Amino acid sequence: MWRSLIVTGSFLLAASFTQAQTAAPARAETQAAHAARMAWWRKARFGMFIHYGPVTLTGKELSWSRANSNTNCPNHGPTPVAVYDNLYKQFDPTTFHAADWTGIAKTAGMKYIIFVAKPADGFLMWKSKVDPYNIGASPFKRDFCAELSQAARKDGLRFGFYFSPMDWRAPDC
């Protein structure tokens, strides 16, 4: 399973880490606090960005494999919407152990992990009462985000979420 992880250097994660940090609710941050946070990130240099979910069942590229269903957000993905949006009903990664993933990151010398908690397809990798399109409705049922975040902290890794504000299912996307 670890081979399906996307492991990359900090050059690619710069935008993702920054977005993960800025996507949080607005809060006052002093210039000194911002400088310290950015200095830590520049020193850390190496982290893991994980994009994983029901779409991995297709074996297709993760970001844009859902077929075009929204003229406001055109793409030419190979997976029909009716198939893509029902993959979660088969999603049951029984061999998933968060400590395995964080252990790989730590052993490789990584300092942080960013996990895609909600990609543009709108599937939530945590249990939600707000949107039924979430991990709790899958056969897996476990809260992927909670497990991975706890394992990362236990291994001394900083952890953040990537949350896409775009949702292909929304007509105004």
Side-chain angles (χ1 to χ4, degrees):
M1 175 181 284
W2 67 269
R3 288 186 179 105
S4 67
L5 298 177
I6 298 170
V7 180
T8 186
S10 63
F11 64 91
L12 181 57
L13 291 174
S16 301
F17 188 75
T18 302
Q19 178 158 351
Q21 292 296 313
T22 60
R27 64 177 189 264
E29 181 178 41
T30 65
Q31 283 185 334
H34 175 77
R37 182 169 52 84
M38 294 308 293
W40 177 89
W41 182 78
R42 281 192 283 285
K43 184 178 176 185
R45 297 178 49 95
F46 188 45
M48 182 185 287
F49 186 97
I50 304 171
H51 192 172
Y52 182 76
V55 66
T56 58
L57 295 172
T58 68
K60 308 288 183 200
E61 195 278 328
L62 294 174
S63 295
W64 296 97
S65 64
R66 187 178 190 262
N68 190 17
S69 63
N70 187 326
T71 57
N72 295 323
C73 184
N75 70 71
H76 304 287
T79 309
V81 172
V83 172
Y84 191 105
D85 290 354
N86 287 289
L87 290 169
Y88 76 95
K89 295 174 183 175
Q90 305 167 43
F91 187 62
D92 194 11
T94 56
T95 60
F96 168 71
H97 299 287
D100 293 345
W101 291 22
T102 60
I104 290 167
K106 185 174 181 175
T107 300
M110 295 180 194
K111 304 296 183 202
Y112 61 92
I113 293 175
I114 304 296
F115 180 68
V116 179
K118 179 198 168 270
D121 67 13
F123 187 76
L124 308 176
M125 292 295 288
W126 73 93
K127 293 178 184 180
S128 171
K129 293 180 181 177
V130 176
D131 188 340
Y133 193 49
N134 73 74
I135 196 79
S138 75
F140 187 65
K141 299 205 182 299
R142 293 167 28 205
D143 189 327
F144 216 91
C145 292
E147 291 182 30
L148 196 54
S149 132
Q150 290 165 2
R153 288 188 178 96
K154 186 176 180 182
D155 275 341
L157 300 166
R158 286 202 181 180
F159 188 84
F161 293 111
Y162 175 91
F163 181 97
S164 174
M166 180 172 68
D167 187 331
W168 293 329
R169 299 171 304 141
D172 294 331
C173 175

